[in-house]
Amino acid sequence: MIVDVATYRDGTRQEVADLHTALRRCADLADPADDTQALPSSQEFLWLGLKDPSAEEFTDIASALHLHRLAVEDAVVGHQRPKIEYYDDTVFVVLKVLEYFDETSSVETGEIMVFVGRHFVVTVRRGEIGALSDVRAAVEGDTAELRRGPKGVLHAVMDKVVSGYTVIDAALEQDVEEVEEQVFSPTRSSDAQQIYSLKREVLEVRRAAFPLVAPMKRLVDGDGNGGGPGEGQDPHAAHHPLDEQAVFVLRDVLDNLVRTVEHVESYDRLLTDILNAHLAQVSVRQNEDMRKISAWAAIAAASTLIAGIYGMNFEHMPELTWRLGYPGCLLLMAGVCLGLYRFFKRSGWL
């Protein structure tokens, strides 16, 4: 369940001996009536990483950190649409993480949920895709990022996910170019299945990236609730965990996201055009094959007609007693076939 947990104070990682104690510490820091805390809110926070938690396992954590039940339910059940929602002073982010496999040219999808409070970050990963160990290591190696607190972690996680989209964008671009060259090459091949499979991969990326654009735009523009109003949500919370600096750095992530979505949509349209072109080529090639078959059938029918006439059992046929009748008949058949062949060749049927 727990992948990693640590407390970060003044840019330094501190191991957690007892999770319940660390959770109580977060609750104490979040208490506005408690003025005994010496450290600013951005300099001490808890980062708890979970993987596929059950409802029972998540209960104590949700209760201690005052996580909203709807957000907790989404994190436990999974299979959510990418979104950003506000619940009082907590931001709940759902991200689809993608991974591209060169061997099969396929895209696999995972899911990451992030709870961001004033003094805590809870990352929930569902599935085997999207491990955040490298993100945690990068953040821990950057003291300035750690000093930004939970909002720095949120930026690092979102940047990691969107950077993955950018990598897949480049891979899909190469695949689309390859299938385009293959379709328009003179070599005959059956490309419809490959094109359709590639369209499915493009759709998978679009489903992950496109729904995130609108809430991220609202987030960086400061236009109210990033995920739409709901029970317990307050878009004007007094202690919003994302400050102006956090919103500023997220603009770069948004730019990369929008660029990826634009590219993916262009790939989808291009693949549709490529598929239509492939089907048109198949139809044209079938027509060409039918013309060739018809031309050869006509050539064979002409010689068959002559052979059939002279194969009839009649006694009074002048050619039967002619010494040159047999070679003359063969020459006639050859001449007719050659003439038809040259005619069909000039007309483009052969």
Side-chain angles (χ1 to χ4, degrees):
M1 172 191 166
I2 298 179
V3 178
D4 197 359
V5 57
T7 298
Y8 299 90
R9 178 179 298 180
D10 197 22
T12 304
R13 174 183 173 118
Q14 297 182 353
E15 300 297 334
V16 172
D18 181 25
L19 179 59
H20 295 286
T21 302
L23 293 175
R24 285 197 299 270
R25 172 65 174 172
C26 287
D28 293 340
L29 288 172
D31 185 3
D34 186 359
D35 57 358
T36 63
Q37 308 303 329
L39 292 174
S41 61
S42 63
Q43 291 186 345
E44 182 175 354
F45 68 96
L46 173 72
W47 184 354
L48 175 61
L50 307 174
K51 180 180 182 300
D52 298 322
S54 63
E56 295 77 12
E57 294 169 333
F58 209 63
T59 300
D60 292 340
I61 298 172
S63 176
L65 299 179
H66 305 290
L67 304 180
H68 197 275
R69 61 179 181 83
L70 295 179
V72 172
E73 181 180 349
D74 288 346
V76 171
V77 175
H79 305 290
Q80 301 298 312
R81 193 171 186 266
K83 59 185 178 180
I84 301 175
E85 294 180 337
Y86 298 156
Y87 294 94
D88 296 328
D89 60 348
T90 301
V91 174
F92 177 59
V93 181
V94 177
L95 303 170
K96 294 291 187 181
V97 57
L98 304 175
E99 186 170 345
Y100 182 83
F101 294 91
D102 290 324
E103 298 80 7
T104 58
S105 295
S106 61
V107 177
E108 298 293 335
T109 305
E111 200 169 21
I112 294 177
M113 288 86 161
V114 186
F115 295 86
V116 183
R118 295 178 62 196
H119 303 280
F120 67 86
V121 177
V122 179
T123 54
V124 180
R125 177 165 61 97
R126 306 205 64 86
E128 301 302 322
I129 305 299
L132 297 175
S133 56
D134 55 340
V135 176
R136 188 184 287 264
V139 172
E140 290 177 353
D142 188 349
T143 304
E145 192 77 0
L146 279 177
R147 289 181 182 275
R148 293 177 55 207
K151 52 186 174 290
V153 176
L154 176 62
H155 169 251
V157 172
M158 296 189 74
D159 186 60
K160 156 79 172 181
V161 173
V162 175
S163 296
Y165 296 166
T166 305
V167 173
I168 295 177
D169 176 18
L172 288 177
E173 181 180 12
Q174 182 177 356
D175 289 344
V176 171
E177 291 177 353
E178 289 177 356
V179 76
E180 184 178 20
E181 293 177 358
Q182 185 173 331
V183 166
F184 291 101
S185 67
T187 304
R188 290 196 176 191
S189 59
S190 179
D191 304 313
Q193 183 175 357
Q194 182 179 358
I195 296 172
Y196 181 76
S197 299
L198 190 53
K199 280 182 68 67
R200 292 291 303 174
E201 303 305 332
V202 169
L203 179 61
E204 194 76 19
V205 178
R206 189 180 188 278
R207 285 176 176 174
F210 181 77
L212 191 60
V213 173
M216 276 204 68
K217 284 184 177 179
R218 289 194 291 268
L219 178 66
V220 300
D221 292 339
D223 185 17
N225 193 334
E231 180 184 352
Q233 296 179 344
D234 180 12
H236 304 291
H239 303 293
H240 196 289
L242 299 183
D243 55 17
E244 183 177 353
Q245 182 185 7
V247 171
F248 178 77
V249 296
L250 285 175
R251 289 185 186 275
D252 182 63
V253 179
L254 175 60
D255 291 341
N256 293 333
L257 178 64
V258 171
R259 188 183 305 111
T260 298
V261 170
E262 291 175 348
H263 289 174
V264 169
E265 290 180 340
S266 69
Y267 300 154
D268 184 59
R269 293 191 297 269
L270 181 57
L271 284 172
T272 299
D273 294 339
I274 293 174
L275 180 60
N276 291 334
H278 171 68
L279 296 178
Q281 284 184 336
V282 171
S283 179
V284 170
R285 287 170 179 171
Q286 287 177 343
N287 291 336
E288 291 176 352
D289 293 341
M290 288 302 299
R291 286 191 302 178
K292 291 179 180 180
I293 293 173
S294 300
W296 286 114
I299 294 174
S303 59
T304 303
L305 175 63
I306 298 173
I309 292 175
Y310 287 98
M312 293 186 292
N313 297 322
F314 290 102
E315 293 182 2
H316 303 288
M317 295 181 70
E319 296 84 353
L320 296 179
T321 58
W322 183 34
R323 179 174 295 182
L324 299 179
Y326 177 70
C329 183
L330 292 180
L331 288 174
L332 176 63
M333 293 169 63
V336 170
C337 292
L338 180 60
L340 289 173
Y341 175 80
R342 294 186 64 183
F343 172 76
F344 286 128
K345 191 70 173 178
R346 283 197 303 268
S347 62
W349 282 45
L350 289 176

